[in-house]
Amino acid sequence: MTTGATTPTAPRRSRVRTFLPLGIAAWLVLEIWLLTVLAGAAGGLTVFALLVAGGLLGAVVIKRAGRRAFRGLSQTLQWQQSRTAPAEDRSGRGNGLLMLGGLLLMLPGPVSDAAGLLLLVPPVRTVLARRAERSLDRRMRRAAPGSLGDAFQQARMHRPDGKVVQGEVVQDDAPRRSRPGPGPRPPLTS
């Protein structure tokens, strides 16, 4: 006997979730195969020296990018405390891609080393950062109402000078006479 109710079906997996494990496995196999070919051509000691040098260079890059990010954070906090507008300083931008480049250098394998070295080149980082920002902006604009992307879109407020200010709207439903005192309320702290 049928009731006319449809059976629930599982939502389709996205292409990324389907092919990402396969891509990672293929990348690992390619890295191992290239290391064995390189070891056969140049020798095992040379490959070992390249792996150690890549690890050390990656660690230096990550440490330097981390210091730049921390310096940028401390400058921002100082500017906020002194309530002065910071000068437009773009030296702290791109630390995430620098750290990714360092991580790729630390991973053993010639393909990851080549990708890590490419991320150390400033024009490449700039192009990748712009493309990632545009892609993220497009995805945020296409976000369905009620989704996480929509929440981020709603939380942004645009100032007249074009800058984006993060904010939260707090609605006070209590009547005015129940407030303690006529002046402004102190800020909430946690």
Side-chain angles (χ1 to χ4, degrees):
M1 175 179 332
T2 60
T3 60
T6 61
T7 58
T9 59
R12 275 187 44 149
R13 287 177 64 156
S14 69
R15 284 187 211 162
V16 173
R17 287 186 62 198
T18 302
F19 292 114
L20 185 66
L22 182 62
I24 291 174
W27 171 62
L28 290 174
V29 168
L30 177 67
E31 291 277 22
I32 292 170
W33 178 74
L34 284 174
L35 279 175
T36 58
V37 168
L38 192 61
L45 191 57
T46 305
V47 171
F48 180 72
L50 285 173
L51 291 176
V52 170
L56 289 175
L57 179 63
V60 168
V61 167
I62 288 176
K63 184 176 181 179
R64 187 170 158 219
R67 282 184 179 165
R68 280 180 43 186
F70 186 74
R71 190 175 339 126
L73 176 65
S74 61
Q75 285 176 352
T76 302
L77 289 174
Q78 287 174 355
W79 286 326
Q80 285 181 349
Q81 287 177 354
S82 66
R83 299 193 188 277
T84 60
E88 190 64 32
D89 181 23
R90 301 182 65 87
S91 64
R93 298 192 54 131
N95 288 325
L97 289 175
L98 266 176
M99 287 184 184
L100 179 62
L103 177 67
L104 286 172
L105 282 170
M106 289 177 77
L107 293 176
V111 175
S112 61
D113 287 346
L117 287 173
L118 271 176
L119 284 176
L120 296 183
V121 179
V124 173
R125 274 198 322 266
T126 304
V127 168
L128 285 176
R130 284 183 187 153
R131 288 190 68 185
E133 188 176 355
R134 280 195 305 253
S135 174
L136 183 64
D137 193 37
R138 260 194 323 269
R139 287 180 186 261
M140 295 296 251
R141 289 176 200 254
R142 284 189 285 154
S147 68
L148 183 62
D150 182 50
F152 283 123
Q153 187 67 22
Q154 290 176 359
R156 292 195 291 184
M157 300 173 69
H158 295 276
R159 291 182 12 185
D161 59 0
K163 293 183 181 175
V164 176
V165 179
Q166 297 291 337
E168 179 181 344
V169 177
V170 179
Q171 186 175 4
D172 186 16
D173 293 334
R176 277 214 170 278
R177 60 182 165 234
S178 67
R179 281 191 184 168
R185 296 188 314 188
L188 298 175
T189 58
S190 29

